[in-house]
Amino acid sequence: MRMTLILLLAALIGVGLYVRLAPTDPTEWHAMPGEMGNEDMNDGAKRVVAAGDGALARLHAIVLSTPRTEVLAGSVEDGMITYVTRSRVFGFPDYTTVSQEGADIKILARLRYGAYDLGVNAARVDAWIAELTGSGG
């Protein structure tokens, strides 16, 4: 029984280290699909919001104020940025790509591991949008 617990603990530590230390290929995550709309998905969310000129820079500041969030690729000057936000306990990464086309901000948020994010990405993105547009928070 004791050996089983030790092996289980070692496996959990191994998985935790892999999740936190696995390399991320920016070319895989720093992309926006051709078709965008407002959609909640099992593994994330898509949003398009009319936000006006300069909205990407304003949203960038909002996103960077989110705990455990950093830029993976891109910049405001590039017109597209991909962020990594990690969960508090296990450090699971979620990837969010944001772009501005004209007055529209397009946001694609998705998880890396698993098949269902329990609505975490949609809630995070909706909070960002509410702060950006002044409609909440």
Side-chain angles (χ1 to χ4, degrees), residues 100-124:
Q100 182 158 13
E101 294 181 22
D104 288 343
I105 291 286
K106 296 181 177 184
I107 305 172
L108 171 64
R110 63 268 193 220
L111 55 73
R112 177 171 180 173
Y113 300 109
Y116 190 67
D117 75 351
L118 302 173
V120 170
N121 279 294
R124 182 184 311 113

Side-chain angles (χ1 to χ4, degrees), residues 49 51 54-71 76 81 83-85 96 98 105 107 123-137:
V49 60
L56 185 59
R58 294 191 316 272
L59 183 58
H60 180 62
I62 292 166
V63 172
L64 288 181
S65 72
T66 304
R68 300 171 308 282
T69 300
E70 61 186 30
V71 172
V76 172
I81 310 163
Y83 305 92
V84 180
T85 304
T96 306
V98 179
I105 291 286
I107 305 172
R124 182 184 311 113
V125 167
D126 290 342
W128 291 343
I129 292 169
E131 189 171 344
L132 176 68
T133 62
S135 63

